Amino acid sequence: MRSYLDFEKPIAELESKVEELREVAARDGGVSITDEVTRLEQKADQALKDLYAGLTPWQKTLVARHPGRPHTLDYIASLLEDFTPLAGDRVFGEDEAIVGGFGRFRGQSVCFMGHERGDTTETRIRHNFGMARPEGYRKAVRLMETAERFGIPVISLVDTAGAYPGIGAEERGQAEAIARSTDCGLRLGVPNIAIVIGEGGSGGAIAIATANKVMMLEHAIYSVISPEGAASILWRDTSKAQEAATNMKITAQDLMRFGVIDQIIQEPVGGAHRQPEVAITRVGDAIEQALGALAGQSPEDIRRLRREKFLAIGRSL
């Protein structure tokens, strides 16, 4: 059963009517309602296009958090062959909030990692809703350093509300682990590409997103803090989250304009959750194009291009 967001209620009503008519046609074989079904389907499709063409930043936030959006494991299953996952940070333990390993992407060996939120109650708890602890970021460093040792590009998928803020995580050096992961991404001598596929929150996101090419899905968000967190700090009122989302400039379109990201990947009409296979294919095409543009560059050039990219942010608006 499709899950609708609150602002999608008009679409839900139209699509519900279409389903009701189909059930009537299936039950009463002699009734021909094809024309009416077609008319309602066209109306629903146009309403969906119009709605998603003018989403507010808060509505995009809700779309970015939609539980039906494809997650990192979905991308791995669809885009990679011979994927071999690696676990553990060789210091403390395993953190399943970040999954990663090595495989073949369209014939090329790659290191592939990303936040995994889970899609059922059991898997969400196991993956800690995509909020990594220090061992998750130390695992990311281990993966990146291994990739560099063998000259393999790194691909990162970002989808997290932020790093896990628990006491245990802080005791084990959360801030230091995020800083080291960020630094590792910046000094890699192999191409690295990051895609924000849903919610890119705070240091938990940038720890694996300091890449040569940073891309976002059309309705993803990327911010230093969640809209709710910003509203709580600024106004001590989380009900102002919509206002915060608008003023924080967290959408892909805003960040493209500011030069924080390099490319926006178009989603299917109605968001990636409506046609996950199409969204995954488009992300794969964008990754292939980005890897092709960086192919043949020396490690020194790779580092220089990445450094120049990040130093240029905010210099000319």
Side-chain angles (χ1 to χ4, degrees), residues 201-243:
S202 192
I206 201 170
I208 61 171
T210 46
N212 286 98
K213 296 290 183 182
V214 181
M215 299 179 276
M216 289 179 67
L217 281 174
E218 181 183 3
H219 303 307
I221 61 170
Y222 192 19
S223 61
V224 70
I225 190 173
S226 69
E228 294 91 341
S232 178
I233 291 171
L234 294 175
W235 297 290
R236 299 187 183 278
D237 184 359
T238 56
S239 67
K240 292 184 177 292
Q242 296 187 39
E243 184 177 345

Side-chain angles (χ1 to χ4, degrees), residues 131-213:
M131 295 186 293
R133 300 173 173 89
E135 44 272 26
Y137 296 110
R138 291 181 180 128
K139 177 170 69 174
V141 170
R142 176 191 169 203
L143 287 165
M144 287 188 277
E145 289 179 344
T146 302
E148 182 167 32
R149 190 176 305 128
F150 293 99
I152 297 173
V154 176
I155 299 167
S156 303
L157 300 186
V158 176
D159 188 17
T160 181
Y164 183 63
I167 293 175
E170 297 296 342
E171 289 175 340
R172 294 193 299 277
Q174 183 74 287
E176 182 265 355
I178 290 173
R180 287 191 181 276
S181 183
T182 305
D183 174 65
C184 185
L186 287 171
R187 58 181 165 81
L188 282 179
V190 294
N192 59 341
I193 297 162
I195 306 97
V196 183
I197 59 173
E199 187 176 11
S202 192
I206 201 170
I208 61 171
T210 46
N212 286 98
K213 296 290 183 182

Side-chain angles (χ1 to χ4, degrees), residues 4-202:
Y4 293 93
L5 299 168
D6 286 344
F7 67 86
E8 293 179 314
K9 285 181 179 178
I11 311 300
E13 292 173 359
L14 286 170
E15 292 183 342
S16 177
K17 289 179 181 178
V18 170
E19 290 303 317
E20 288 176 6
L21 287 173
R22 284 176 176 162
E23 289 177 5
V24 169
R27 187 172 60 249
D28 305 325
V31 179
S32 178
I33 54 175
T34 303
D35 291 343
E36 179 65 14
V37 169
T38 300
R39 186 186 69 80
L40 281 176
E41 284 180 333
Q42 291 174 345
K43 185 176 181 180
D45 289 343
Q46 187 59 50
L48 190 66
K49 290 178 183 177
D50 293 343
L51 178 64
Y52 271 76
L55 292 181
T56 67
W58 177 247
Q59 289 171 334
K60 283 182 177 288
T61 300
L62 298 178
V63 175
R65 294 170 175 172
H66 195 289
R69 289 177 75 87
H71 298 153
T72 295
L73 288 176
D74 300 315
Y75 286 91
I76 289 174
S78 296
L79 297 178
L80 298 189
E81 297 177 350
D82 303 323
F83 180 71
T84 302
L86 297 184
D89 64 347
R90 294 186 175 177
V91 176
F92 179 82
E94 164 66 343
D95 182 0
E96 294 189 66
I98 291 182
V99 297
F102 292 83
R104 297 189 68 80
F105 167 74
R106 299 184 180 179
Q108 180 177 1
S109 295
V110 295
C111 171
F112 203 101
M113 63 181 174
H115 302 98
E116 174 57 42
R117 289 174 175 260
D119 53 12
T120 65
T121 300
E122 180 184 355
T123 57
R124 285 168 186 152
I125 292 172
R126 186 169 75 243
H127 294 290
N128 200 36
F129 300 86
M131 295 186 293
R133 300 173 173 89
E135 44 272 26
Y137 296 110
R138 291 181 180 128
K139 177 170 69 174
V141 170
R142 176 191 169 203
L143 287 165
M144 287 188 277
E145 289 179 344
T146 302
E148 182 167 32
R149 190 176 305 128
F150 293 99
I152 297 173
V154 176
I155 299 167
S156 303
L157 300 186
V158 176
D159 188 17
T160 181
Y164 183 63
I167 293 175
E170 297 296 342
E171 289 175 340
R172 294 193 299 277
Q174 183 74 287
E176 182 265 355
I178 290 173
R180 287 191 181 276
S181 183
T182 305
D183 174 65
C184 185
L186 287 171
R187 58 181 165 81
L188 282 179
V190 294
N192 59 341
I193 297 162
I195 306 97
V196 183
I197 59 173
E199 187 176 11
S202 192

